[in-house]
Amino acid sequence: MNIKQIHHVAYRCRDAKETVEFYQHYLNMDFILAISEDKVPSTREPDPYMHLFMDAGNGNILAFFELPNSPEMGSDPNTPAWVQHIAFELESEEALLDAKAELEAKGLEVVGPTNHEIIKSIYFFDPNGHRLELTVRTDKPGQIDRLHALAPEMLEAWSKTKKAVDHAAWLHADEFAG
């Protein structure tokens, strides 16, 4: 198997029209298409839905389902709100700061920018309660390669202890930081 790319990622929404308008207004995404049926194609279960597709740039598609006959959507009470999120990459730190100013001018509460050393990010919520992140790469030469090389060792250490590992502490401390 050779995966080409993610075709789309789908989330639930409370209101299809409100969701499309939010992503158009705040993130300038084009509304690509909608599909609506009375039965789920894969299971043939009767369950009317509206399935929306938004252009997230470079062939990436963000999709949503409105499910009017299902119980009201909520969030996982056992998962902190900051964990599950959708991140979109911008082209520069200037674009990130401009986006923050634009979103705040449009009335959204925005957290950040937060410096993660290899990226800087801002965070806010859509009307469905999904946390969104706008990010820009700020990695310095060699950082990503070094993190990639450490990833298996970090995962193994985490798997054994379930405690934070310090294999990448250099990211905040050594010649790569700053």
Side-chain angles (χ1 to χ4, degrees), residues 7-21:
H7 181 274
H8 70 274
V9 176
Y11 292 86
R12 186 166 175 200
C13 67
R14 293 183 179 114
D15 181 277
K17 185 173 185 194
E18 175 188 50
T19 298
V20 167
E21 289 172 350

Side-chain angles (χ1 to χ4, degrees), residues 2-11 56-63:
N2 186 16
I3 294 174
K4 180 180 167 185
Q5 73 179 58
I6 293 174
H7 181 274
H8 70 274
V9 176
Y11 292 86
N58 292 323
N60 297 292
I61 300 169
L62 180 60

Side-chain angles (χ1 to χ4, degrees), residues 1 10 12 17 21 25 30 38 43 53-54 63 68 75 78-80 88 92 96 100-101 108 110 115 123 149 170 177:
M1 179 183 323
R12 186 166 175 200
K17 185 173 185 194
E21 289 172 350
H25 180 70
D30 287 332
D38 286 322
T43 65
F53 296 82
M54 306 298 296
S75 58
N78 297 319
T79 302
F88 302 101
S92 68
L96 184 68
K100 177 182 169 122
L108 289 182
V110 180
N115 183 0
Y123 303 92
W170 55 265

Side-chain angles (χ1 to χ4, degrees), residues 7 17 30 56 60 70 104 108 110-111 119-120 126 135 138 142:
H7 181 274
K17 185 173 185 194
D30 287 332
N60 297 292
S70 293
E104 288 175 334
L108 289 182
V110 180
V111 172
I119 60 171
K120 285 186 182 172
D126 82 357
T135 192
T138 59

Side-chain angles (χ1 to χ4, degrees), residues 22-152:
F22 175 90
Y23 283 87
Q24 287 175 322
H25 180 70
Y26 291 102
L27 296 176
N28 301 316
M29 288 188 185
D30 287 332
F31 179 31
I32 301 172
L33 60 95
I35 298 171
S36 184
E37 300 185 50
D38 286 322
K39 292 183 180 176
V40 179
S42 59
T43 65
R44 305 307 300 157
E45 292 174 72
D47 195 1
Y49 65 86
M50 172 59 73
H51 192 18
L52 313 167
F53 296 82
M54 306 298 296
D55 182 350
N58 292 323
N60 297 292
I61 300 169
L62 180 60
F64 294 93
F65 281 97
E66 182 179 345
L67 307 170
N69 293 341
S70 293
E72 187 175 315
M73 68 179 278
S75 58
D76 178 354
N78 297 319
T79 302
W82 59 268
V83 172
Q84 295 177 343
H85 63 278
I86 309 165
F88 302 101
E89 186 175 345
L90 300 179
E91 64 276 0
S92 68
E93 289 185 60
E94 181 181 353
L96 184 68
L97 295 175
D98 289 348
K100 177 182 169 122
E102 180 182 335
L103 293 169
E104 288 175 334
K106 290 178 177 178
L108 289 182
E109 184 177 325
V110 180
V111 172
T114 301
N115 183 0
H116 300 284
E117 302 303 336
I118 57 171
I119 60 171
K120 285 186 182 172
S121 303
I122 61 172
Y123 303 92
F124 53 97
F125 288 90
D126 82 357
N128 305 295
H130 301 304
R131 190 175 200 217
L132 305 178
E133 174 182 358
L134 297 180
T135 192
V136 61
R137 289 185 61 163
T138 59
D139 57 292
K140 293 170 182 54
Q143 284 182 316
I144 299 300
D145 291 338
R146 190 168 172 189
L147 289 169
H148 177 74
L150 285 170

